[in-house]
Amino acid sequence: MMTAVTQQKVDATEARLATLTMPPSAPWLAEAREAALARLRAAGLPGRRDEYWKYTRPDTLVQGEAPHAAVFQSDEAPVFDTVDRLKVVFVDGVFRADLSDPLEGEGFSIERLADVAEMDIHWAKDLYGRLETNGQNPVKRPLAALNTAFASDGVVIRVTGRVSRPVSLIYIHKSDTSDAMLHHVIKVEEGADFTLLENGPAAARFNKVLEVDVADNAGFHHVRAQGRDHERRAVTHIFARLGTKSTFKSFTLTVNGQMTRNEAVLELTGDDAVAHVAGACLGDGDFHHDDTVFITHDGENCESRQVYKKVLRNGATGVFQGKILVNNTAQRTDGYQISQSLLLDDDSQFYAKPELEIYADDVACSHGSTSGAIDDEALFYLRSRGLPEGIATDLLTLAFLAEAVEEIEDEALAEEIVGRLDAWLIRRRKG
């Protein structure tokens, strides 16, 4: 007999689906969308009773209509504005050719998902929804399945060489009630190297999936800054598969946002692969930020790092759920996981659930999680050197976040992120 909880999830899922229409697609894509819809119906939309949602209320992410989110106005230059990049702009989830650069570049091809969806034959057939499907086991990720089924646009990128100029996805929020879904697919061929930048709040509510296949001896670098619109809500998913001697590195900066959940699901399938995911977040007041990470080691002699730092004040909430799974084929695994929060008052909260599951004998895996206040001795030292308390606190906060920012390989991009962190702290200090 169906339990009341199960029936409640079924009802909530069907109510959400009633508000959506599956985009027209070529047969191969329609098949992938229908399979995703079946996964969604089997799992149901997330609820607070679900193990990996007990620290985060999914209500506003699953309800039929997007909650109202005021558009944030700022005269500050957009992040990455000084970087030479190929710009691809979406406004409330809709591609804007007039604001974007031509979709062409040396060493890679880039297309819109909306255009690819009309093609009977395309290389994306072997990837769209495939990594997301793999990422549903052992933990169900129904909001990712929802995206695969209904996302109407995104970018599809095939990288064949070492690309020096990043592709930059820019998400602009203009409507207070916009509800956007974007699905990106990136295939990095053997020996190729590619950098993806992302920035902007995207919409009042945003659901994004990024699937990345990194072939042998290839590299993928990802730096994103999630927008400052405080009332926005977002759930994002990264699904990646790494080949032999490949590299995957991703860093996320989050400031503001009432509700943000970032999921990363990585599979190290080849030997000697390297996967680093990191994040720095600054939250003030009505702010809830959730990083949920699952890294699976299948290949030998692989390395993974999870480095997450959160600074919280005025009742803000941070969540970290991270797991390293080492299968019995993954000898000589090096896995590192650290999640830390800096609580700037007694009202803020940090919930952490670090996990290790190891079936190999020859491994070096560690995890740690701490939560605390500014170090009084360090603060006293800086103040004794003549620094005002506010400036001293900001310097210690930046030092706390440094380990996460250091995961960005490109020095110019790292400096850009540090500048944004410093600007946020200064604004809060000045009130």
Side-chain angles (χ1 to χ4, degrees), residues 241-242 266-273 295-302 325-331 333 360:
R241 180 171 59 195
L242 282 69
L266 314 181
E267 304 173 83
L268 285 75
T269 59
D271 297 341
D272 302 295
I295 296 181
T296 301
H297 285 261
D298 286 320
E300 292 189 351
N301 198 40
C302 292
L325 171 61
V326 182
N327 286 321
N328 58 10
T329 56
Q331 301 295 340
T333 287

Side-chain angles (χ1 to χ4, degrees), residues 275-413:
H276 291 198
V277 285
C281 98
L282 296 164
D284 192 346
D286 186 14
F287 172 93
H288 186 104
H289 188 274
D290 180 336
D291 284 303
T292 294
V293 182
F294 198 113
I295 296 181
T296 301
H297 285 261
D298 286 320
E300 292 189 351
N301 198 40
C302 292
E303 171 188 303
S304 70
R305 287 175 61 87
Q306 302 173 42
V307 182
Y308 286 89
K309 301 292 188 85
K310 301 181 191 292
V311 178
L312 307 168
R313 55 179 276 178
N314 293 331
T317 299
V319 176
F320 173 80
Q321 302 178 105
K323 184 165 186 173
I324 302 173
L325 171 61
V326 182
N327 286 321
N328 58 10
T329 56
Q331 301 295 340
R332 297 185 301 282
T333 287
D334 181 358
Y336 174 76
Q337 179 194 94
I338 187 73
S339 60
Q340 296 178 317
S341 72
L342 184 62
L343 305 180
L344 299 182
D345 57 43
D346 294 333
D347 298 323
S348 298
Q349 302 176 84
F350 177 60
Y351 301 96
K353 186 184 178 185
E355 297 178 275
L356 298 177
E357 187 173 345
I358 301 171
Y359 298 99
D361 300 322
D362 185 5
V363 302
C365 291
S366 65
H367 66 77
S369 181
T370 63
S371 182
I374 288 285
D375 185 286
D376 288 336
E377 290 187 9
L379 183 62
F380 176 79
Y381 175 82
L382 291 177
R383 294 198 66 189
S384 70
R385 295 301 185 270
L387 289 178
E389 182 176 0
I391 294 176
T393 298
D394 288 355
L395 288 174
L396 292 173
T397 300
L398 289 173
F400 168 78
L401 295 169
E403 183 181 3
V405 178
E406 287 169 0
E407 291 296 322
I408 304 173
E409 280 197 9
D410 188 299
E411 291 185 7
L413 294 176

Side-chain angles (χ1 to χ4, degrees), residues 48-294:
R48 285 298 296 276
R49 290 179 179 268
D50 294 347
E51 175 67 19
Y52 282 90
W53 285 90
K54 66 181 180 180
Y55 300 125
T56 298
R57 294 190 64 88
D59 311 33
T60 57
L61 300 175
V62 303
Q63 67 188 49
E65 295 183 356
H68 180 278
V71 176
F72 179 79
Q73 302 295 337
S74 173
D75 56 3
E76 184 181 24
V79 67
F80 308 132
D81 207 37
T82 61
V83 177
D84 180 23
R85 55 196 170 133
L86 188 156
K87 293 181 287 186
V88 184
V89 180
F90 294 89
V91 178
D92 290 327
V94 178
F95 174 71
R96 287 285 298 273
D98 58 319
L99 301 177
S100 304
D101 294 327
L103 301 185
E104 56 189 31
E106 185 175 349
F108 68 97
S109 64
I110 178 170
E111 301 165 273
R112 289 178 57 199
L113 176 62
D115 295 333
V116 169
E118 301 175 357
M119 301 179 184
D120 290 331
I121 300 176
H122 196 277
W123 62 262
K125 173 183 178 180
D126 295 329
L127 275 184
Y128 186 91
R130 297 297 179 89
L131 302 187
E132 176 261 299
T133 302
N134 295 346
Q136 298 288 345
N137 184 38
V139 178
K140 301 303 179 187
R141 306 180 193 280
L143 289 173
L146 177 74
N147 178 292
T148 298
F150 292 99
S152 59
D153 213 348
V155 294
V156 177
I157 302 175
R158 187 171 190 173
V159 186
T160 55
R162 304 188 69 82
V163 181
S164 59
R165 187 186 185 205
V167 169
S168 179
L169 306 182
I170 301 169
Y171 307 124
I172 297 173
H173 173 206
K174 281 201 170 182
S175 168
D176 290 356
T177 57
S178 54
D179 196 8
M181 287 191 204
L182 293 175
H183 194 115
H184 309 308
V185 178
I186 300 178
K187 183 176 179 62
V188 187
E189 300 280 13
E190 184 172 354
D193 192 86
F194 182 72
T195 298
L196 178 73
L197 306 178
E198 295 184 278
N199 72 281
R205 181 170 65 183
F206 187 38
N207 181 330
K208 188 199 72 179
V209 167
L210 171 63
E211 296 183 284
V212 185
D213 188 45
V214 189
D216 297 349
N217 299 293
F220 176 80
H221 304 270
H222 176 229
V223 181
R224 63 176 168 176
Q226 296 178 305
R228 284 174 54 197
D229 295 39
H230 182 64
E231 296 180 6
R232 66 171 177 81
R233 293 162 174 85
V235 56
T236 74
H237 314 80
I238 298 174
F239 298 97
R241 180 171 59 195
L242 282 69
T244 300
K245 295 183 179 179
S246 64
T247 299
F248 175 99
K249 293 191 176 183
S250 175
F251 172 87
T252 300
L253 169 67
T254 306
V255 295
N256 296 357
Q258 281 192 8
M259 167 68 71
T260 305
R261 178 170 168 118
N262 296 323
E263 298 195 14
V265 184
L266 314 181
E267 304 173 83
L268 285 75
T269 59
D271 297 341
D272 302 295
V274 174
H276 291 198
V277 285
C281 98
L282 296 164
D284 192 346
D286 186 14
F287 172 93
H288 186 104
H289 188 274
D290 180 336
D291 284 303
T292 294
V293 182
F294 198 113

